[in-house]
Amino acid sequence: MFLYSLILLAYHSSRWIPRNRRLKFQIVNAVFTALVLVPQLYVMTRPKSARYCKQPLLNNLAASIALSIIATGFSVVFTLLEPVPQGLWAACHFFGLVSFGQGMCGAILTLTAASCATTTPELYHMSLFLMVASILSTVVLAVKGGLWLTERQQQ
């Protein structure tokens, strides 16, 4: 859910800026998405990350990198298009479900891989960071969704 919340953050933040002045925001958006992707790629290329770990944390990191690249594409497209087509919104929400599933699988793998903290420390700590970010963004989006539902009920 962390990546899905970044897409929504980029979309809603870009709507505060007039359309003819969004170039600077798009550059900041590209730099921010690089800041999310670069540490994952760094950990993936570390020699210690290839060591044995009883949980497939390296596979989980590869999936996270793939989803980060897709999220980068969504955030760039969402800041460029106005209005965003319904089909693209549907694809983004499906991506949110996939991101939620990957986050929960990553959380389960990380919680059961405490022994990997000694064999693959960078990989374990990156997985721990991604797990916390996923859980926090899931909680924030659940609260936001609950508030949206109560607002819709009152109308």
Side-chain angles (χ1 to χ4, degrees), residues 5-43:
S5 62
L6 289 180
I7 295 168
L8 293 179
L9 179 68
Y11 171 76
H12 290 295
S13 299
S14 72
R15 295 307 182 248
W16 291 345
I17 302 168
R19 202 171 182 183
N20 59 352
R21 297 183 186 224
R22 287 188 190 164
L23 180 62
K24 289 179 186 175
F25 177 78
Q26 290 166 347
I27 293 169
V28 169
N29 185 31
V31 168
F32 186 71
T33 53
L35 288 175
V36 171
L37 192 58
V38 168
Q40 294 179 52
L41 291 171
Y42 174 75
V43 169

PDB file of all heavy atoms in Angstrom, residues 5-43:
ATOM      1  N   SER A   5      -0.136   4.641  -2.013  1.00  0.00           N
ATOM      2  CA  SER A   5      -0.327   5.932  -1.341  1.00  0.00           C
ATOM      3  C   SER A   5       0.588   6.998  -1.935  1.00  0.00           C
ATOM      4  O   SER A   5       0.214   8.176  -1.984  1.00  0.00           O
ATOM      5  CB  SER A   5      -0.118   5.797   0.163  1.00  0.00           C
ATOM      6  OG  SER A   5       1.191   5.400   0.444  1.00  0.00           O
ATOM      7  N   LEU A   6       1.771   6.621  -2.425  1.00  0.00           N
ATOM      8  CA  LEU A   6       2.641   7.589  -3.088  1.00  0.00           C
ATOM      9  C   LEU A   6       2.024   8.083  -4.395  1.00  0.00           C
ATOM     10  O   LEU A   6       2.148   9.264  -4.732  1.00  0.00           O
ATOM     11  CB  LEU A   6       4.018   6.978  -3.352  1.00  0.00           C
ATOM     12  CG  LEU A   6       4.903   6.741  -2.140  1.00  0.00           C
ATOM     13  CD1 LEU A   6       6.222   6.128  -2.568  1.00  0.00           C
ATOM     14  CD2 LEU A   6       5.128   8.017  -1.379  1.00  0.00           C
ATOM     15  N   ILE A   7       1.349   7.198  -5.119  1.00  0.00           N
ATOM     16  CA  ILE A   7       0.674   7.599  -6.354  1.00  0.00           C
ATOM     17  C   ILE A   7      -0.426   8.599  -6.028  1.00  0.00           C
ATOM     18  O   ILE A   7      -0.550   9.646  -6.686  1.00  0.00           O
ATOM     19  CB  ILE A   7       0.084   6.374  -7.083  1.00  0.00           C
ATOM     20  CG1 ILE A   7       1.188   5.447  -7.559  1.00  0.00           C
ATOM     21  CG2 ILE A   7      -0.786   6.808  -8.257  1.00  0.00           C
ATOM     22  CD1 ILE A   7       0.681   4.095  -8.029  1.00  0.00           C
ATOM     23  N   LEU A   8      -1.231   8.283  -5.026  1.00  0.00           N
ATOM     24  CA  LEU A   8      -2.322   9.187  -4.650  1.00  0.00           C
ATOM     25  C   LEU A   8      -1.782  10.518  -4.139  1.00  0.00           C
ATOM     26  O   LEU A   8      -2.355  11.580  -4.429  1.00  0.00           O
ATOM     27  CB  LEU A   8      -3.208   8.526  -3.594  1.00  0.00           C
ATOM     28  CG  LEU A   8      -3.997   7.304  -4.055  1.00  0.00           C
ATOM     29  CD1 LEU A   8      -4.798   6.737  -2.896  1.00  0.00           C
ATOM     30  CD2 LEU A   8      -4.901   7.640  -5.218  1.00  0.00           C
ATOM     31  N   LEU A   9      -0.695  10.485  -3.408  1.00  0.00           N
ATOM     32  CA  LEU A   9      -0.079  11.710  -2.918  1.00  0.00           C
ATOM     33  C   LEU A   9       0.402  12.576  -4.090  1.00  0.00           C
ATOM     34  O   LEU A   9       0.186  13.791  -4.091  1.00  0.00           O
ATOM     35  CB  LEU A   9       1.080  11.385  -1.980  1.00  0.00           C
ATOM     36  CG  LEU A   9       1.838  12.569  -1.404  1.00  0.00           C
ATOM     37  CD1 LEU A   9       0.933  13.345  -0.443  1.00  0.00           C
ATOM     38  CD2 LEU A   9       3.090  12.103  -0.702  1.00  0.00           C
ATOM     39  N   ALA A  10       1.032  11.963  -5.076  1.00  0.00           N
ATOM     40  CA  ALA A  10       1.499  12.719  -6.241  1.00  0.00           C
ATOM     41  C   ALA A  10       0.321  13.310  -7.007  1.00  0.00           C
ATOM     42  O   ALA A  10       0.360  14.475  -7.424  1.00  0.00           O
ATOM     43  CB  ALA A  10       2.321  11.813  -7.157  1.00  0.00           C
ATOM     44  N   TYR A  11      -0.736  12.527  -7.173  1.00  0.00           N
ATOM     45  CA  TYR A  11      -1.909  13.012  -7.911  1.00  0.00           C
ATOM     46  C   TYR A  11      -2.559  14.192  -7.201  1.00  0.00           C
ATOM     47  O   TYR A  11      -2.781  15.246  -7.797  1.00  0.00           O
ATOM     48  CB  TYR A  11      -2.928  11.881  -8.089  1.00  0.00           C
ATOM     49  CG  TYR A  11      -4.241  12.369  -8.647  1.00  0.00           C
ATOM     50  CD1 TYR A  11      -4.354  12.690  -9.987  1.00  0.00           C
ATOM     51  CD2 TYR A  11      -5.355  12.531  -7.830  1.00  0.00           C
ATOM     52  CE1 TYR A  11      -5.555  13.165 -10.507  1.00  0.00           C
ATOM     53  CE2 TYR A  11      -6.550  12.999  -8.334  1.00  0.00           C
ATOM     54  CZ  TYR A  11      -6.646  13.311  -9.679  1.00  0.00           C
ATOM     55  OH  TYR A  11      -7.818  13.783 -10.182  1.00  0.00           O
ATOM     56  N   HIS A  12      -2.861  14.037  -5.926  1.00  0.00           N
ATOM     57  CA  HIS A  12      -3.563  15.090  -5.201  1.00  0.00           C
ATOM     58  C   HIS A  12      -2.678  16.326  -5.004  1.00  0.00           C
ATOM     59  O   HIS A  12      -3.182  17.457  -5.020  1.00  0.00           O
ATOM     60  CB  HIS A  12      -4.086  14.579  -3.864  1.00  0.00           C
ATOM     61  CG  HIS A  12      -5.208  13.604  -4.026  1.00  0.00           C
ATOM     62  ND1 HIS A  12      -6.430  13.955  -4.560  1.00  0.00           N
ATOM     63  CD2 HIS A  12      -5.291  12.287  -3.750  1.00  0.00           C
ATOM     64  CE1 HIS A  12      -7.221  12.897  -4.596  1.00  0.00           C
ATOM     65  NE2 HIS A  12      -6.547  11.864  -4.110  1.00  0.00           N
ATOM     66  N   SER A  13      -1.388  16.135  -4.830  1.00  0.00           N
ATOM     67  CA  SER A  13      -0.484  17.283  -4.690  1.00  0.00           C
ATOM     68  C   SER A  13      -0.383  18.068  -5.987  1.00  0.00           C
ATOM     69  O   SER A  13      -0.304  19.294  -5.971  1.00  0.00           O
ATOM     70  CB  SER A  13       0.909  16.816  -4.275  1.00  0.00           C
ATOM     71  OG  SER A  13       0.869  16.169  -3.041  1.00  0.00           O
ATOM     72  N   SER A  14      -0.392  17.367  -7.110  1.00  0.00           N
ATOM     73  CA  SER A  14      -0.277  18.074  -8.394  1.00  0.00           C
ATOM     74  C   SER A  14      -1.521  18.888  -8.701  1.00  0.00           C
ATOM     75  O   SER A  14      -1.448  19.874  -9.435  1.00  0.00           O
ATOM     76  CB  SER A  14      -0.009  17.082  -9.524  1.00  0.00           C
ATOM     77  OG  SER A  14      -1.165  16.325  -9.819  1.00  0.00           O
ATOM     78  N   ARG A  15      -2.660  18.531  -8.155  1.00  0.00           N
ATOM     79  CA  ARG A  15      -3.895  19.257  -8.429  1.00  0.00           C
ATOM     80  C   ARG A  15      -3.959  20.593  -7.699  1.00  0.00           C
ATOM     81  O   ARG A  15      -4.774  21.435  -8.025  1.00  0.00           O
ATOM     82  CB  ARG A  15      -5.125  18.410  -8.074  1.00  0.00           C
ATOM     83  CG  ARG A  15      -5.273  17.158  -8.934  1.00  0.00           C
ATOM     84  CD  ARG A  15      -5.219  17.533 -10.408  1.00  0.00           C
ATOM     85  NE  ARG A  15      -5.409  16.408 -11.298  1.00  0.00           N
ATOM     86  CZ  ARG A  15      -4.476  15.898 -12.086  1.00  0.00           C
ATOM     87  NH1 ARG A  15      -3.271  16.389 -12.094  1.00  0.00           N
ATOM     88  NH2 ARG A  15      -4.749  14.896 -12.889  1.00  0.00           N
ATOM     89  N   TRP A  16      -3.102  20.814  -6.717  1.00  0.00           N
ATOM     90  CA  TRP A  16      -3.048  22.103  -6.035  1.00  0.00           C
ATOM     91  C   TRP A  16      -2.316  23.155  -6.869  1.00  0.00           C
ATOM     92  O   TRP A  16      -2.427  24.339  -6.605  1.00  0.00           O
ATOM     93  CB  TRP A  16      -2.325  21.977  -4.709  1.00  0.00           C
ATOM     94  CG  TRP A  16      -3.050  21.200  -3.662  1.00  0.00           C
ATOM     95  CD1 TRP A  16      -4.376  20.853  -3.662  1.00  0.00           C
ATOM     96  CD2 TRP A  16      -2.512  20.685  -2.464  1.00  0.00           C
ATOM     97  NE1 TRP A  16      -4.679  20.135  -2.535  1.00  0.00           N
ATOM     98  CE2 TRP A  16      -3.543  20.022  -1.770  1.00  0.00           C
ATOM     99  CE3 TRP A  16      -1.251  20.706  -1.900  1.00  0.00           C
ATOM    100  CZ2 TRP A  16      -3.356  19.403  -0.552  1.00  0.00           C
ATOM    101  CZ3 TRP A  16      -1.070  20.081  -0.684  1.00  0.00           C
ATOM    102  CH2 TRP A  16      -2.113  19.448  -0.019  1.00  0.00           C
ATOM    103  N   ILE A  17      -1.524  22.688  -7.835  1.00  0.00           N
ATOM    104  CA  ILE A  17      -0.686  23.571  -8.631  1.00  0.00           C
ATOM    105  C   ILE A  17      -1.381  23.834  -9.970  1.00  0.00           C
ATOM    106  O   ILE A  17      -1.907  22.900 -10.588  1.00  0.00           O
ATOM    107  CB  ILE A  17       0.697  22.918  -8.858  1.00  0.00           C
ATOM    108  CG1 ILE A  17       1.346  22.616  -7.503  1.00  0.00           C
ATOM    109  CG2 ILE A  17       1.587  23.802  -9.692  1.00  0.00           C
ATOM    110  CD1 ILE A  17       2.558  21.736  -7.597  1.00  0.00           C
ATOM    111  N   PRO A  18      -1.387  25.085 -10.436  1.00  0.00           N
ATOM    112  CA  PRO A  18      -1.981  25.356 -11.750  1.00  0.00           C
ATOM    113  C   PRO A  18      -1.308  24.527 -12.839  1.00  0.00           C
ATOM    114  O   PRO A  18      -0.111  24.223 -12.765  1.00  0.00           O
ATOM    115  CB  PRO A  18      -1.719  26.858 -11.963  1.00  0.00           C
ATOM    116  CG  PRO A  18      -1.488  27.409 -10.608  1.00  0.00           C
ATOM    117  CD  PRO A  18      -0.904  26.300  -9.789  1.00  0.00           C
ATOM    118  N   ARG A  19      -2.067  24.186 -13.833  1.00  0.00           N
ATOM    119  CA  ARG A  19      -1.608  23.267 -14.876  1.00  0.00           C
ATOM    120  C   ARG A  19      -0.351  23.762 -15.591  1.00  0.00           C
ATOM    121  O   ARG A  19       0.522  22.977 -15.943  1.00  0.00           O
ATOM    122  CB  ARG A  19      -2.736  23.071 -15.872  1.00  0.00           C
ATOM    123  CG  ARG A  19      -2.618  21.824 -16.643  1.00  0.00           C
ATOM    124  CD  ARG A  19      -3.856  21.583 -17.429  1.00  0.00           C
ATOM    125  NE  ARG A  19      -3.669  20.324 -18.114  1.00  0.00           N
ATOM    126  CZ  ARG A  19      -4.519  19.820 -18.931  1.00  0.00           C
ATOM    127  NH1 ARG A  19      -5.637  20.431 -19.181  1.00  0.00           N
ATOM    128  NH2 ARG A  19      -4.269  18.683 -19.511  1.00  0.00           N
ATOM    129  N   ASN A  20      -0.253  25.065 -15.811  1.00  0.00           N
ATOM    130  CA  ASN A  20       0.903  25.602 -16.546  1.00  0.00           C
ATOM    131  C   ASN A  20       2.155  25.742 -15.679  1.00  0.00           C
ATOM    132  O   ASN A  20       3.204  26.130 -16.172  1.00  0.00           O
ATOM    133  CB  ASN A  20       0.547  26.952 -17.171  1.00  0.00           C
ATOM    134  CG  ASN A  20       0.124  27.970 -16.137  1.00  0.00           C
ATOM    135  OD1 ASN A  20      -0.048  27.652 -14.966  1.00  0.00           O
ATOM    136  ND2 ASN A  20      -0.061  29.204 -16.582  1.00  0.00           N
ATOM    137  N   ARG A  21       2.077  25.411 -14.395  1.00  0.00           N
ATOM    138  CA  ARG A  21       3.231  25.523 -13.491  1.00  0.00           C
ATOM    139  C   ARG A  21       3.601  24.188 -12.856  1.00  0.00           C
ATOM    140  O   ARG A  21       4.227  24.156 -11.803  1.00  0.00           O
ATOM    141  CB  ARG A  21       2.928  26.536 -12.401  1.00  0.00           C
ATOM    142  CG  ARG A  21       2.722  27.912 -12.952  1.00  0.00           C
ATOM    143  CD  ARG A  21       2.496  28.884 -11.861  1.00  0.00           C
ATOM    144  NE  ARG A  21       2.168  30.166 -12.437  1.00  0.00           N
ATOM    145  CZ  ARG A  21       2.674  31.288 -12.025  1.00  0.00           C
ATOM    146  NH1 ARG A  21       3.511  31.297 -11.016  1.00  0.00           N
ATOM    147  NH2 ARG A  21       2.332  32.414 -12.601  1.00  0.00           N
ATOM    148  N   ARG A  22       3.234  23.106 -13.479  1.00  0.00           N
ATOM    149  CA  ARG A  22       3.481  21.784 -12.875  1.00  0.00           C
ATOM    150  C   ARG A  22       4.822  21.179 -13.232  1.00  0.00           C
ATOM    151  O   ARG A  22       5.175  20.130 -12.722  1.00  0.00           O
ATOM    152  CB  ARG A  22       2.377  20.802 -13.302  1.00  0.00           C
ATOM    153  CG  ARG A  22       1.076  21.085 -12.632  1.00  0.00           C
ATOM    154  CD  ARG A  22       0.087  20.012 -12.908  1.00  0.00           C
ATOM    155  NE  ARG A  22      -1.230  20.434 -12.436  1.00  0.00           N
ATOM    156  CZ  ARG A  22      -2.342  19.874 -12.776  1.00  0.00           C
ATOM    157  NH1 ARG A  22      -2.341  18.831 -13.583  1.00  0.00           N
ATOM    158  NH2 ARG A  22      -3.485  20.318 -12.315  1.00  0.00           N
ATOM    159  N   LEU A  23       5.588  21.803 -14.093  1.00  0.00           N
ATOM    160  CA  LEU A  23       6.867  21.218 -14.505  1.00  0.00           C
ATOM    161  C   LEU A  23       7.807  21.038 -13.311  1.00  0.00           C
ATOM    162  O   LEU A  23       8.418  19.975 -13.150  1.00  0.00           O
ATOM    163  CB  LEU A  23       7.536  22.066 -15.583  1.00  0.00           C
ATOM    164  CG  LEU A  23       8.877  21.536 -16.091  1.00  0.00           C
ATOM    165  CD1 LEU A  23       8.674  20.162 -16.733  1.00  0.00           C
ATOM    166  CD2 LEU A  23       9.497  22.503 -17.062  1.00  0.00           C
ATOM    167  N   LYS A  24       7.904  22.044 -12.453  1.00  0.00           N
ATOM    168  CA  LYS A  24       8.773  21.928 -11.273  1.00  0.00           C
ATOM    169  C   LYS A  24       8.297  20.794 -10.365  1.00  0.00           C
ATOM    170  O   LYS A  24       9.103  20.036  -9.828  1.00  0.00           O
ATOM    171  CB  LYS A  24       8.795  23.241 -10.497  1.00  0.00           C
ATOM    172  CG  LYS A  24       9.531  24.342 -11.200  1.00  0.00           C
ATOM    173  CD  LYS A  24       9.490  25.623 -10.400  1.00  0.00           C
ATOM    174  CE  LYS A  24      10.097  26.763 -11.180  1.00  0.00           C
ATOM    175  NZ  LYS A  24       9.966  28.039 -10.474  1.00  0.00           N
ATOM    176  N   PHE A  25       6.970  20.683 -10.203  1.00  0.00           N
ATOM    177  CA  PHE A  25       6.441  19.606  -9.370  1.00  0.00           C
ATOM    178  C   PHE A  25       6.757  18.247  -9.979  1.00  0.00           C
ATOM    179  O   PHE A  25       7.074  17.302  -9.251  1.00  0.00           O
ATOM    180  CB  PHE A  25       4.929  19.750  -9.187  1.00  0.00           C
ATOM    181  CG  PHE A  25       4.337  18.616  -8.404  1.00  0.00           C
ATOM    182  CD1 PHE A  25       4.463  18.585  -7.027  1.00  0.00           C
ATOM    183  CD2 PHE A  25       3.704  17.561  -9.036  1.00  0.00           C
ATOM    184  CE1 PHE A  25       3.949  17.535  -6.294  1.00  0.00           C
ATOM    185  CE2 PHE A  25       3.190  16.513  -8.316  1.00  0.00           C
ATOM    186  CZ  PHE A  25       3.310  16.503  -6.937  1.00  0.00           C
ATOM    187  N   GLN A  26       6.675  18.137 -11.296  1.00  0.00           N
ATOM    188  CA  GLN A  26       6.971  16.868 -11.949  1.00  0.00           C
ATOM    189  C   GLN A  26       8.435  16.488 -11.776  1.00  0.00           C
ATOM    190  O   GLN A  26       8.762  15.311 -11.616  1.00  0.00           O
ATOM    191  CB  GLN A  26       6.570  16.929 -13.416  1.00  0.00           C
ATOM    192  CG  GLN A  26       5.076  16.970 -13.588  1.00  0.00           C
ATOM    193  CD  GLN A  26       4.655  17.355 -14.989  1.00  0.00           C
ATOM    194  OE1 GLN A  26       5.451  17.823 -15.786  1.00  0.00           O
ATOM    195  NE2 GLN A  26       3.374  17.161 -15.275  1.00  0.00           N
ATOM    196  N   ILE A  27       9.308  17.477 -11.760  1.00  0.00           N
ATOM    197  CA  ILE A  27      10.730  17.203 -11.512  1.00  0.00           C
ATOM    198  C   ILE A  27      10.924  16.736 -10.074  1.00  0.00           C
ATOM    199  O   ILE A  27      11.637  15.764  -9.807  1.00  0.00           O
ATOM    200  CB  ILE A  27      11.585  18.446 -11.828  1.00  0.00           C
ATOM    201  CG1 ILE A  27      11.554  18.724 -13.338  1.00  0.00           C
ATOM    202  CG2 ILE A  27      13.013  18.272 -11.331  1.00  0.00           C
ATOM    203  CD1 ILE A  27      12.134  20.051 -13.736  1.00  0.00           C
ATOM    204  N   VAL A  28      10.266  17.407  -9.125  1.00  0.00           N
ATOM    205  CA  VAL A  28      10.341  16.990  -7.717  1.00  0.00           C
ATOM    206  C   VAL A  28       9.758  15.587  -7.549  1.00  0.00           C
ATOM    207  O   VAL A  28      10.304  14.761  -6.811  1.00  0.00           O
ATOM    208  CB  VAL A  28       9.612  18.014  -6.811  1.00  0.00           C
ATOM    209  CG1 VAL A  28       9.436  17.480  -5.402  1.00  0.00           C
ATOM    210  CG2 VAL A  28      10.364  19.328  -6.800  1.00  0.00           C
ATOM    211  N   ASN A  29       8.679  15.307  -8.255  1.00  0.00           N
ATOM    212  CA  ASN A  29       8.059  13.977  -8.208  1.00  0.00           C
ATOM    213  C   ASN A  29       9.025  12.916  -8.722  1.00  0.00           C
ATOM    214  O   ASN A  29       9.157  11.841  -8.127  1.00  0.00           O
ATOM    215  CB  ASN A  29       6.767  13.982  -9.024  1.00  0.00           C
ATOM    216  CG  ASN A  29       6.017  12.693  -8.920  1.00  0.00           C
ATOM    217  OD1 ASN A  29       6.060  12.007  -7.914  1.00  0.00           O
ATOM    218  ND2 ASN A  29       5.307  12.351  -9.981  1.00  0.00           N
ATOM    219  N   ALA A  30       9.727  13.207  -9.809  1.00  0.00           N
ATOM    220  CA  ALA A  30      10.692  12.250 -10.362  1.00  0.00           C
ATOM    221  C   ALA A  30      11.845  12.015  -9.378  1.00  0.00           C
ATOM    222  O   ALA A  30      12.287  10.876  -9.189  1.00  0.00           O
ATOM    223  CB  ALA A  30      11.215  12.749 -11.695  1.00  0.00           C
ATOM    224  N   VAL A  31      12.324  13.077  -8.748  1.00  0.00           N
ATOM    225  CA  VAL A  31      13.408  12.935  -7.772  1.00  0.00           C
ATOM    226  C   VAL A  31      12.931  12.125  -6.563  1.00  0.00           C
ATOM    227  O   VAL A  31      13.645  11.247  -6.070  1.00  0.00           O
ATOM    228  CB  VAL A  31      13.926  14.325  -7.336  1.00  0.00           C
ATOM    229  CG1 VAL A  31      14.843  14.228  -6.128  1.00  0.00           C
ATOM    230  CG2 VAL A  31      14.637  15.004  -8.490  1.00  0.00           C
ATOM    231  N   PHE A  32      11.711  12.392  -6.108  1.00  0.00           N
ATOM    232  CA  PHE A  32      11.185  11.667  -4.947  1.00  0.00           C
ATOM    233  C   PHE A  32      11.003  10.183  -5.251  1.00  0.00           C
ATOM    234  O   PHE A  32      11.332   9.342  -4.423  1.00  0.00           O
ATOM    235  CB  PHE A  32       9.859  12.288  -4.502  1.00  0.00           C
ATOM    236  CG  PHE A  32       9.330  11.696  -3.238  1.00  0.00           C
ATOM    237  CD1 PHE A  32       9.957  11.953  -2.027  1.00  0.00           C
ATOM    238  CD2 PHE A  32       8.229  10.874  -3.237  1.00  0.00           C
ATOM    239  CE1 PHE A  32       9.491  11.408  -0.849  1.00  0.00           C
ATOM    240  CE2 PHE A  32       7.744  10.323  -2.068  1.00  0.00           C
ATOM    241  CZ  PHE A  32       8.387  10.584  -0.871  1.00  0.00           C
ATOM    242  N   THR A  33      10.506   9.854  -6.444  1.00  0.00           N
ATOM    243  CA  THR A  33      10.349   8.438  -6.783  1.00  0.00           C
ATOM    244  C   THR A  33      11.714   7.771  -6.931  1.00  0.00           C
ATOM    245  O   THR A  33      11.860   6.594  -6.614  1.00  0.00           O
ATOM    246  CB  THR A  33       9.519   8.255  -8.065  1.00  0.00           C
ATOM    247  OG1 THR A  33      10.085   9.032  -9.116  1.00  0.00           O
ATOM    248  CG2 THR A  33       8.084   8.656  -7.850  1.00  0.00           C
ATOM    249  N   ALA A  34      12.706   8.537  -7.383  1.00  0.00           N
ATOM    250  CA  ALA A  34      14.057   7.971  -7.437  1.00  0.00           C
ATOM    251  C   ALA A  34      14.582   7.698  -6.030  1.00  0.00           C
ATOM    252  O   ALA A  34      15.277   6.707  -5.802  1.00  0.00           O
ATOM    253  CB  ALA A  34      14.989   8.920  -8.180  1.00  0.00           C
ATOM    254  N   LEU A  35      14.216   8.568  -5.088  1.00  0.00           N
ATOM    255  CA  LEU A  35      14.640   8.347  -3.699  1.00  0.00           C
ATOM    256  C   LEU A  35      13.999   7.099  -3.101  1.00  0.00           C
ATOM    257  O   LEU A  35      14.538   6.516  -2.164  1.00  0.00           O
ATOM    258  CB  LEU A  35      14.296   9.563  -2.841  1.00  0.00           C
ATOM    259  CG  LEU A  35      15.141  10.810  -3.071  1.00  0.00           C
ATOM    260  CD1 LEU A  35      14.613  11.972  -2.237  1.00  0.00           C
ATOM    261  CD2 LEU A  35      16.600  10.541  -2.767  1.00  0.00           C
ATOM    262  N   VAL A  36      12.868   6.693  -3.638  1.00  0.00           N
ATOM    263  CA  VAL A  36      12.229   5.460  -3.174  1.00  0.00           C
ATOM    264  C   VAL A  36      12.873   4.250  -3.846  1.00  0.00           C
ATOM    265  O   VAL A  36      13.072   3.210  -3.235  1.00  0.00           O
ATOM    266  CB  VAL A  36      10.710   5.497  -3.462  1.00  0.00           C
ATOM    267  CG1 VAL A  36      10.061   4.162  -3.204  1.00  0.00           C
ATOM    268  CG2 VAL A  36      10.049   6.577  -2.631  1.00  0.00           C
ATOM    269  N   LEU A  37      13.246   4.398  -5.103  1.00  0.00           N
ATOM    270  CA  LEU A  37      13.744   3.263  -5.886  1.00  0.00           C
ATOM    271  C   LEU A  37      15.232   2.990  -5.679  1.00  0.00           C
ATOM    272  O   LEU A  37      15.637   1.832  -5.612  1.00  0.00           O
ATOM    273  CB  LEU A  37      13.450   3.523  -7.367  1.00  0.00           C
ATOM    274  CG  LEU A  37      13.619   2.380  -8.336  1.00  0.00           C
ATOM    275  CD1 LEU A  37      12.738   1.206  -7.922  1.00  0.00           C
ATOM    276  CD2 LEU A  37      13.262   2.823  -9.738  1.00  0.00           C
ATOM    277  N   VAL A  38      16.037   4.022  -5.553  1.00  0.00           N
ATOM    278  CA  VAL A  38      17.492   3.853  -5.476  1.00  0.00           C
ATOM    279  C   VAL A  38      17.931   3.010  -4.272  1.00  0.00           C
ATOM    280  O   VAL A  38      18.772   2.116  -4.432  1.00  0.00           O
ATOM    281  CB  VAL A  38      18.202   5.232  -5.523  1.00  0.00           C
ATOM    282  CG1 VAL A  38      19.660   5.126  -5.145  1.00  0.00           C
ATOM    283  CG2 VAL A  38      18.051   5.842  -6.905  1.00  0.00           C
ATOM    284  N   PRO A  39      17.421   3.235  -3.059  1.00  0.00           N
ATOM    285  CA  PRO A  39      17.865   2.374  -1.948  1.00  0.00           C
ATOM    286  C   PRO A  39      17.523   0.901  -2.160  1.00  0.00           C
ATOM    287  O   PRO A  39      18.302   0.028  -1.767  1.00  0.00           O
ATOM    288  CB  PRO A  39      17.121   2.933  -0.734  1.00  0.00           C
ATOM    289  CG  PRO A  39      16.743   4.307  -1.095  1.00  0.00           C
ATOM    290  CD  PRO A  39      16.549   4.310  -2.573  1.00  0.00           C
ATOM    291  N   GLN A  40      16.385   0.638  -2.787  1.00  0.00           N
ATOM    292  CA  GLN A  40      16.020  -0.754  -3.053  1.00  0.00           C
ATOM    293  C   GLN A  40      17.001  -1.380  -4.046  1.00  0.00           C
ATOM    294  O   GLN A  40      17.434  -2.528  -3.849  1.00  0.00           O
ATOM    295  CB  GLN A  40      14.601  -0.830  -3.604  1.00  0.00           C
ATOM    296  CG  GLN A  40      13.548  -0.414  -2.616  1.00  0.00           C
ATOM    297  CD  GLN A  40      12.173  -0.480  -3.222  1.00  0.00           C
ATOM    298  OE1 GLN A  40      11.780  -1.502  -3.785  1.00  0.00           O
ATOM    299  NE2 GLN A  40      11.430   0.597  -3.116  1.00  0.00           N
ATOM    300  N   LEU A  41      17.349  -0.637  -5.087  1.00  0.00           N
ATOM    301  CA  LEU A  41      18.316  -1.151  -6.061  1.00  0.00           C
ATOM    302  C   LEU A  41      19.691  -1.321  -5.430  1.00  0.00           C
ATOM    303  O   LEU A  41      20.411  -2.285  -5.727  1.00  0.00           O
ATOM    304  CB  LEU A  41      18.393  -0.216  -7.271  1.00  0.00           C
ATOM    305  CG  LEU A  41      17.163  -0.191  -8.162  1.00  0.00           C
ATOM    306  CD1 LEU A  41      17.275   0.930  -9.184  1.00  0.00           C
ATOM    307  CD2 LEU A  41      16.969  -1.533  -8.850  1.00  0.00           C
ATOM    308  N   TYR A  42      20.061  -0.409  -4.540  1.00  0.00           N
ATOM    309  CA  TYR A  42      21.349  -0.518  -3.850  1.00  0.00           C
ATOM    310  C   TYR A  42      21.418  -1.789  -3.011  1.00  0.00           C
ATOM    311  O   TYR A  42      22.400  -2.527  -3.053  1.00  0.00           O
ATOM    312  CB  TYR A  42      21.575   0.724  -2.981  1.00  0.00           C
ATOM    313  CG  TYR A  42      22.805   0.627  -2.121  1.00  0.00           C
ATOM    314  CD1 TYR A  42      24.068   0.787  -2.674  1.00  0.00           C
ATOM    315  CD2 TYR A  42      22.716   0.354  -0.750  1.00  0.00           C
ATOM    316  CE1 TYR A  42      25.206   0.694  -1.880  1.00  0.00           C
ATOM    317  CE2 TYR A  42      23.834   0.263   0.037  1.00  0.00           C
ATOM    318  CZ  TYR A  42      25.084   0.429  -0.533  1.00  0.00           C
ATOM    319  OH  TYR A  42      26.209   0.324   0.242  1.00  0.00           O
ATOM    320  N   VAL A  43      20.366  -2.048  -2.246  1.00  0.00           N
ATOM    321  CA  VAL A  43      20.348  -3.246  -1.401  1.00  0.00           C
ATOM    322  C   VAL A  43      20.347  -4.508  -2.266  1.00  0.00           C
ATOM    323  O   VAL A  43      20.993  -5.498  -1.922  1.00  0.00           O
ATOM    324  CB  VAL A  43      19.133  -3.213  -0.445  1.00  0.00           C
ATOM    325  CG1 VAL A  43      18.935  -4.548   0.246  1.00  0.00           C
ATOM    326  CG2 VAL A  43      19.305  -2.110   0.578  1.00  0.00           C
TER     327      VAL A  43
END
